[in-house]
Amino acid sequence: MDLFDAELGGRDDPEAGEGRGCSWVTVVILGIFVLLAVLVHTFFGWVGDLFSAVFS
């Protein structure tokens, strides 16, 4: 993996061929999406518990 992958325009390397695999940027973005999904799931779990306690 290369943080400055040629596909993302990070390096001006004319001999840079097609990138193989995924870059660190892709890994970080996917990690942020996973963390966001976990936080949203946890938040709505808490909201559901609160509503069930209040309205039951």
Side-chain angles (χ1 to χ4, degrees):
M1 287 190 282
D2 188 0
L3 181 60
F4 301 104
D5 195 359
E7 289 180 346
L8 297 175
R11 287 187 181 156
D12 294 329
D13 188 4
E15 286 118 21
E18 291 185 17
R20 287 179 295 236
C22 58
S23 67
W24 282 107
V25 176
T26 306
V27 172
V28 170
I29 290 172
L30 289 176
I32 289 170
F33 280 132
V34 168
L35 180 63
L36 184 64
V38 169
L39 290 175
V40 167
H41 177 74
T42 303
F43 174 75
F44 282 113
W46 288 339
V47 171
D49 290 343
L50 178 66
F51 281 160
S52 66
V54 170
F55 296 114
S56 62

